């Protein structure tokens, strides 16, 4: 699990934090007060290093100054930086500020995960979600139960991974469309129902279940989780 420091506006911060956590990262998001955020509040310290700095370029102030200021301490000089931006702002991205890469809104979880994997160069052993006999391999895009490979499409895999990472929570169909298919997806809510039905059929007989909350949406229940 990588430790990510997220500097984002209030409007984007909660969504970005949720997306990063859903693909297996630990995320810290300190409050940003103009440009006066203290480095001690960010978690970038010798005893508490971060693996990646994710910066939302809608924060107030001049972006290059903010990034360079955060990368000044020795503890963070080698920290890669992923910029979250909009297509209209891409032409103004200044890589001399220490930005490693960028991704534009809207993005899908698949795009975000791929970009992070390239930046972090993570190893396969760290890229798994394990719940008893259920193992989701985040590098190979594989799901195994009792070491048996479950044949899933990419969207089935992404949907299952998201629900498992947020087990115990319930998401509306609209939430799932946004997070799995992306903001620009124009399909209907029925898409989610079809993928849930397929997952249930393929996971039939296993302990984990995709639950339906009538009038709300879907969640993932695992019997070993505390109630």
């Amino acid at each position: 699990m990588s430790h990510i420091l997220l500097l984002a506006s209030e409007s984007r911060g909660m969504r970005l934090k949720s997306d990063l956590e859903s693909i297996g990262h630990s995320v810290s998001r300190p409050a940003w007060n103009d440009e006066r955020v203290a480095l001690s509040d960010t978690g970038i310290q010798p005893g508490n290093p971060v693996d990646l700095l994710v910066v939302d370029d809608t924060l107030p102030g001049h972006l290059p100054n903010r990034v360079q200021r955060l990368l000044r301490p020795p503890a963070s000089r080698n920290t890669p930086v992923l910029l979250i931006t909009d297509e209209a702002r891409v032409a103004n991205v200044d890589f001399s500020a220490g930005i490693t890469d960028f991704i534009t809104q809207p993005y899908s979880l698949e795009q975000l995960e791929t970009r992070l994997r390239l930046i972090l160069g993570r190893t396969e052993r760290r890229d798994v979600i394990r719940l008893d006999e259920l193992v989701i391999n985040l590098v190979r895009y594989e799901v195994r139960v009792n070491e048996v490979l479950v044949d899933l499409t990419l969207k089935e895999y992404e949907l299952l991974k998201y629900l498992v990472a947020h087990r115990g929570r319930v998401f509306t169909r609209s939430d799932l469309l946004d997070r799995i298919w992306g903001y620009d997806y124009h399909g209907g809510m029925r898409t989610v129902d079809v993928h849930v039905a397929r997952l249930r059929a393929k996971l039939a007989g296993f302990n984990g279940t995709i639950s339906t909350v009538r009038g709300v949406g879907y969640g993932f229940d695992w019997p070993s989780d505390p109630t």
Side-chain angles (χ1 to χ4, degrees):
M1 178 185 294
S2 296
H3 179 196
I4 293 177
L5 173 66
L6 172 62
L7 296 182
S9 61
E10 189 64 28
S11 60
R12 285 187 175 180
M14 292 182 63
R15 166 65 186 270
L16 286 169
K17 186 174 187 293
S18 175
D19 286 348
L20 290 166
E21 289 176 338
S22 75
I23 55 179
H25 301 285
S26 169
V27 182
S28 299
R29 186 171 77 93
W32 183 274
N33 181 17
D34 297 325
E35 292 200 28
R36 296 187 292 274
V37 63
L39 289 172
S40 60
D41 294 334
T42 67
I44 301 182
Q45 302 173 40
N48 185 26
V50 298
D51 300 302
L52 175 68
L53 176 63
V54 175
V55 179
D56 167 22
D57 77 345
T58 63
L59 286 168
H62 187 50
L63 178 65
N65 290 345
R66 296 201 306 272
V67 175
Q68 288 174 341
R69 180 168 174 261
L70 285 169
L71 296 180
R72 197 171 297 152
S76 62
R77 64 176 56 156
N78 295 319
T79 304
V81 179
L82 176 65
L83 178 68
I84 307 294
T85 187
D86 297 316
E87 289 187 10
R89 298 171 180 255
V90 169
N92 298 320
V93 173
D94 183 3
F95 286 91
S96 67
I99 297 167
T100 307
D101 204 347
F102 69 91
I103 190 169
T104 60
Q105 299 264 18
Y107 60 80
S108 68
L109 282 180
E110 178 187 1
Q111 293 171 320
L112 181 62
E113 184 176 17
T114 299
R115 195 64 53 86
L116 291 178
R117 188 181 305 116
L118 290 172
I119 294 174
L120 295 169
R122 298 166 67 195
T123 61
E124 178 180 341
R125 285 185 299 175
R126 298 172 64 188
D127 282 311
V128 297
I129 298 175
R130 187 183 301 272
L131 289 179
D132 297 339
E133 69 266 30
L134 174 68
V135 178
I136 301 177
N137 190 306
L138 305 181
V139 170
R140 296 186 177 183
Y141 294 85
E142 287 182 352
V143 173
R144 292 179 181 270
V145 178
N146 290 322
E147 301 184 359
V148 177
L149 181 65
V150 182
D151 184 19
L152 301 179
T153 67
L154 180 59
K155 290 305 182 185
E156 289 169 355
Y157 164 86
E158 290 181 343
L159 178 59
L160 177 64
K161 179 182 65 177
Y162 189 80
L163 292 174
V164 168
H166 294 85
R167 60 193 184 277
R169 294 175 55 183
V170 177
F171 297 93
T172 66
R173 292 170 177 82
S174 179
D175 287 336
L176 294 172
L177 279 174
D178 280 349
R179 286 160 171 77
I180 307 304
W181 282 267
Y183 288 114
D184 55 351
Y185 180 73
H186 298 295
M189 299 294 177
R190 178 62 178 164
T191 299
V192 178
D193 297 333
V194 169
H195 281 72
V196 167
R198 291 174 179 169
L199 278 173
R200 283 172 170 162
K202 292 180 180 182
L203 295 174
F206 301 139
N207 289 333
T209 58
I210 297 177
S211 59
T212 300
V213 177
R214 191 175 299 275
V216 182
Y218 298 106
F220 186 86
D221 296 328
W222 191 256
S224 297
D225 286 336
T227 56

